[in-house]
Structures are given as C-alpha cells and as structure tokens.
C-alpha cells in the first residue's frame, strides 16, 4: 500500500480525479487472464461512496484498483520506472494488483521515491555520503500535486476510518506518512517525511517467513514515529 500515493498522484496529474472526487468503495470483480480478481480492503469491510482523500489516507484497496483502471496499468508502470524502482518486469505481469503494491521493492528505492512529495514533485536518487556526486534531478509531479498528496497523508481525520484518530501515525510535528503490509504479512512498511527528513522503516524476517498479525500500523509505524519525533526535536517543522 505504500505505492498508492504515487498512483493517486498520477491520477491528479492527469486531472482524472481530485482529492474531493467521490469514488466507490464497494465489491468489484475484474476479469483477468487467470480468472476473476476480487480486491478486498484490509479490514474486509466497505465504506460506499467516499472522497478520494479519505480513500487514500485510509488505504482503501478497492478505490485504488478503480483509480488504476482510470489511469491505466502502462502509465502507472512507467511512473514507477521513472522513480527508479528496480527489477521491474512488465505492466501486465502485475495486472490490477499493481494498485495495491504487488511490485517487489527495496526500502532504499521506496524511501527515495517518497522524497518526491517532500521535495515538491522533484526526484533525485539517494547517496550515501556528501562526497558522492548529485545525479540530475527530474520533475515527476507538479508542486501542487506533491502538496495535495502531502496534505492528504498528514491528515489524521482522513485516515481515521481505517486507523482511528489516535495511532502510531500521529506525530508531535507535522508529517506525512503511509504504511503498507505485504501479502501473508511477510513484510510491513512505514514511510513518511517531515519538513526536513524522510524516514523509511521495514519490519520482517530476513528469511521471508511470514509474521503473525503484524501489519504496517503495528510493526513499522511505531518505530517510524519514534524516529520522526526524535528528529523533530532538533529541526523546525512548522510547515512543509
């Protein structure tokens, strides 16, 4: 689910939807070459017609699949390629589940990509030291799109239908954040940023063995919040 903000940002860029657009969160059947694909929300419930900003912040799965249908798998795949996610296959290798994060990613690539929103829509690759040469920067999204996604991911009211008002994503300082949980709970993720820092956290077993009842909100998120709050003690975080 940590890839959902990029999908919605692409739809904003294409002016297909806005944060206030209504979208349907109800059961859907999608024909694929291997059968019928039926996406379901993490909580196994549905919320009916909701604004896009709530669908994204609350990480609802069905609306994300609907958005992918609107922008096209090929367009989203190209965006992920532009963001330098590695080891990509081809668009229809993933199918509609690409909207929910069926792509294999590394914490390095995912953290680098989230900096696009923190830096006003501009992407640059990470470096390990100040001595490394800064690679050329690439504008991925407009400043307005980056701001809209950042605001959605910072609003605790928007995420409350799934996560409640008080949870590990509520920080002392202004921040934007997204969690994700891999299939069978093999991994969970929490990536987000403040005015000055982007922090990415992965929780899982190096063997790939599934965990038991550990999701992004319970595994990676508490670690992320402790780090982002600690950084906030030393840096001003009044606005993005």
């Amino acid at each position: 689910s940590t890839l959902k903000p990029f999908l919605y940002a692409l739809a904003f860029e294409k002016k297909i939807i806005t944060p206030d657009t209504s979208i349907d969160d109800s059961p859907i059947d999608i024909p694929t070459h291997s059968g019928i694909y039926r996406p379901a929300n993490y909580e196994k419930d549905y919320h009916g017609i909701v604004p896009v900003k709530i669908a994204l912040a609350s990480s609802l799965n069905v609306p994300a699949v609907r958005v992918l249908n609107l922008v096209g798998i090929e367009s989203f795949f190209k965006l992920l390629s532009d963001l330098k996610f590695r080891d990509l296959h081809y668009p229809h290798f993933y199918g509609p589940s690409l909207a929910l994060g069926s792509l294999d990613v590394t914490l390095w690539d995912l953290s680098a990509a989230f900096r696009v929103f923190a830096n006003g829509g501009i992407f640059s690759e990470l470096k390990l030291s100040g001595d490394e040469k800064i690679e050329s920067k690439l504008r991925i999204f407009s400043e307005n799109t980056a701001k809209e996604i950042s605001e959605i991911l910072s609003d605790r009211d928007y995420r409350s239908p799934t996560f409640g008002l008080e949870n590990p994503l509520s920080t002392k300082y202004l921040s934007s954040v997204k969690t994700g949980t891999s299939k069978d709970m093999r991994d969970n993720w929490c990536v987000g940023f403040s005015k000055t820092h982007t922090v990415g956290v992965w929780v899982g077993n190096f063997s790939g063995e599934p965990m038991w009842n550990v999701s992004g909100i319970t595994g990676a998120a508490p670690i992320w919040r402790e780090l982002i709050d600690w950084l906030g003690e030393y840096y001003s975080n009044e606005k993005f």
Side-chain angles (χ1 to χ4, degrees):
S1 289
T2 50
L3 296 182
K4 288 175 184 172
F6 305 105
L7 172 61
Y8 281 85
L10 178 60
F12 291 174
E13 285 287 287
K14 290 178 172 290
K15 302 188 184 304
I16 296 173
I17 58 174
T18 72
D20 294 312
T21 299
S22 295
I23 194 164
D24 188 10
D25 179 33
S26 61
I28 183 175
D29 288 351
I30 301 175
T32 69
H33 68 276
S34 58
I36 300 297
Y37 176 60
R38 295 186 178 94
N41 293 324
Y42 182 78
E43 298 291 340
K44 307 299 182 184
D45 60 356
Y46 300 95
H47 299 78
I49 303 298
V50 296
V52 159
K53 57 192 178 187
I54 290 179
L56 171 56
S58 293
S59 200
L60 303 180
N61 287 340
V62 177
V65 174
R66 293 185 189 276
V67 171
L68 181 63
N69 286 339
L70 294 173
V71 303
I73 293 177
E74 291 83 1
S75 293
F76 187 40
F77 183 86
K78 181 182 183 304
L79 171 63
L80 297 174
S81 179
D82 290 342
L83 290 168
K84 306 298 183 184
F85 284 101
R86 292 167 287 182
D87 301 322
L88 299 176
H89 293 279
Y90 52 89
H92 290 282
F93 174 85
Y94 305 100
S97 66
L98 185 60
L100 310 184
S102 57
L103 184 74
D104 289 329
V105 302
T106 66
L107 184 60
W108 178 272
D109 290 347
L110 188 61
S111 300
F114 261 80
R115 293 168 59 250
V116 167
F117 302 124
N119 290 325
I122 295 176
F123 174 81
S124 62
E125 295 190 50
L126 298 180
K127 57 180 183 174
L128 288 172
S129 74
D131 297 329
E132 291 185 45
K133 182 180 178 181
I134 298 177
E135 298 296 330
S136 58
K137 297 181 178 181
L138 175 66
R139 175 161 292 285
I140 301 293
F141 304 121
S142 66
E143 286 189 26
N144 187 62
T145 291
K147 179 181 178 182
E148 288 176 329
I149 295 294
S150 299
E151 289 177 346
I152 290 171
L153 298 183
S154 71
D155 196 298
R156 72 174 191 164
D157 289 329
Y158 296 164
R159 71 172 75 104
S160 64
T162 295
F163 302 106
L165 291 174
E166 295 300 329
N167 55 65
L169 305 181
S170 299
T171 55
K172 296 178 182 178
Y173 303 90
L174 188 59
S175 62
S176 296
V177 59
K178 187 73 187 71
T179 61
T181 305
S182 301
K183 186 178 180 181
D184 299 327
M185 294 189 174
R186 293 182 184 277
D187 315 89
N188 62 78
W189 315 75
C190 189
V191 188
F193 53 90
S194 64
K195 180 182 178 182
T196 55
H197 292 85
T198 295
V199 174
V201 177
W202 170 86
V203 168
N205 296 308
F206 289 129
S207 65
E209 181 182 356
M211 295 173 288
W212 178 256
N213 201 29
V214 181
S215 65
I217 195 68
T218 60
I223 301 170
W224 177 85
R225 183 175 66 176
E226 186 168 342
L227 286 166
I228 208 78
D229 279 346
W230 183 85
L231 291 166
E233 296 291 337
Y234 299 93
Y235 297 90
S236 173
N237 252 332
E238 294 178 356
K239 60 178 66 175
F240 288 123

